[in-house]
Amino acid sequence: MLDLSAKPLLGKTALLTGAARRLGRACALTLARAGADVGITFRTSAREAQQTVVDLSGFGVRAFAFHCDVTDEASVRAMIKEAGRELGRIDILVNNAANYETVEFEKLTVAQWDSIFASNTRGPFLVTREALKHMGRARPGSAAKSPPEAKIINMGSLGGIQPWPTHAHYSCSKAALHMLTKVMAKALAPDVAVNAVAPGMIDLGEKSAAAFMRKMAKQTPMLRNGHAEEIAEAVTFFASAPQFITGQILVVDGGLSL
Ligand SMILES: NC(=O)c1ccc[n+]([C@@H]2O[C@H](COP(=O)([O-])OP(=O)(O)OC[C@H]3O[C@@H](n4cnc5c(N)ncnc54)[C@H](OP(=O)(O)O)[C@@H]3O)[C@@H](O)[C@H]2O)c1
């Protein structure tokens, strides 16, 4: 477990997309526990977002919720403007919002393909492009001796590394996001370090997934599935890591991919 008692992110601000519930919420709470002021975005989970803001505030940090559809450029622009105003600056951006869908390859439609790519790949690109305006990047030719050290963490997936035959669009969208992570790491250096966390099977307690989760745990070297907090700690690691760590895809899967 990361020792967050020293509040390594005190004075930093973080923005996480799609973080009203599930893994995004867990990441937001851990970043707040580490001392960061946190803004989360939601699309449909307004009630959960308000509760998450209350829970984030319990760590003594400033917390905000912003509505955003990451597939809609105007919505992303408006959200980032509001987030920049409320947070003051964005030091850490976590591109978490995504969609997941199981479809037989032969039945996969163009609309399903495009929709998954719009949220999982184009979304992180759009949010990042707009967020950079508030990420305090050193201007070219600026006299600043030490440039600001901002971080972007993309939520990838084991499905972006291994081919999942009933998730062609999802697997490809996450593989593209892993490449986008590396492209951005080069394009945005040295001011911004860009990394990705690629979760494997994470047990979020869904009853409908219980049998599948039991099966996957047996196939995993660690003999269990992951916990949301383990993904949150990986995100927090990148959020507080040396700027020299960039362009990396950290698979958090208990060894399932080995
Ligand atoms: N759960 C896992 O086991 C697992 C495994 C591998 C990778 N991952 C990745 O880890 C991340 C989080 O996983 P999760 O299972 O917690 O995700 P999730 O519940 O499927 O989605 C997270 C949030 O994304 C938001 N979202 C979806 N489409 C959006 C859009 N067009 N605009 C804005 N927000 C949108 C939703 O917000 P609203 O609820 O507000 O609509 C949702 O709550 C995702 O990137 C996922 O692909 C998860």
Side-chain angles (χ1 to χ4, degrees), residues 101-113:
E101 190 180 41
T102 305
V103 192
E104 294 295 327
F105 187 83
E106 293 88 340
K107 295 187 178 146
L108 191 50
T109 66
V110 168
Q112 287 169 326
W113 181 277

Side-chain angles (χ1 to χ4, degrees), residues 118-142:
S119 59
N120 297 10
T121 312
R122 198 183 67 193
F125 154 68
L126 273 181
V127 174
T128 299
R129 194 192 65 190
E130 294 306 309
L132 286 172
K133 295 170 186 166
H134 300 274
M135 293 195 89
R137 301 181 68 205
R139 305 262 180 285
S142 140

Side-chain angles (χ1 to χ4, degrees), residues 2 24 40 49 94 125 172 178 257:
L2 279 179
I40 60 165
V94 182
F125 154 68
C172 292
H178 294 170
S257 55

